[in-house]
Amino acid sequence: MAFRYWCGECGFKTPWLTQSQGERHQIEHYAKHHPGIPAGGHVEANRKNPNGGHGCAEALGLVVLLLIVAASCHR
């Protein structure tokens, strides 16, 4: 799933990233722009593309698997 982290002190937001990447970007932002203030703000989950683009790959994998099963059953 992809997440975007928003700064609680200014208008900074990370790009859509994994949770660990987003957290790291937010901590780096706070260290550089708001030293001494604990990282805050809020986290937004990508609801339009919750799988981060893997939905197509999963569907394609399922189709390939079904084709293999169908070919192995055909005599």
Side-chain angles (χ1 to χ4, degrees):
M1 183 173 287
F3 298 91
R4 181 163 47 191
Y5 285 72
W6 294 73
C7 178
E9 311 303 320
C10 67
F12 172 80
K13 63 183 175 190
T14 67
W16 292 108
L17 302 167
T18 64
Q19 186 174 7
S20 61
Q21 291 171 328
E23 288 173 353
R24 184 170 29 88
H25 275 72
Q26 187 180 36
I27 290 169
E28 290 170 358
H29 168 78
Y30 266 82
K32 183 176 181 180
H33 297 283
H34 312 293
I37 300 175
H42 68 276
V43 180
E44 178 182 8
N46 189 344
R47 300 201 186 281
K48 290 183 181 178
N49 191 5
N51 295 325
H54 299 296
C56 257
E58 291 171 359
L60 182 60
L62 180 61
V63 168
V64 170
L65 179 64
L66 290 174
L67 286 173
I68 291 170
V69 169
S72 68
C73 292
H74 184 62
R75 293 182 189 245

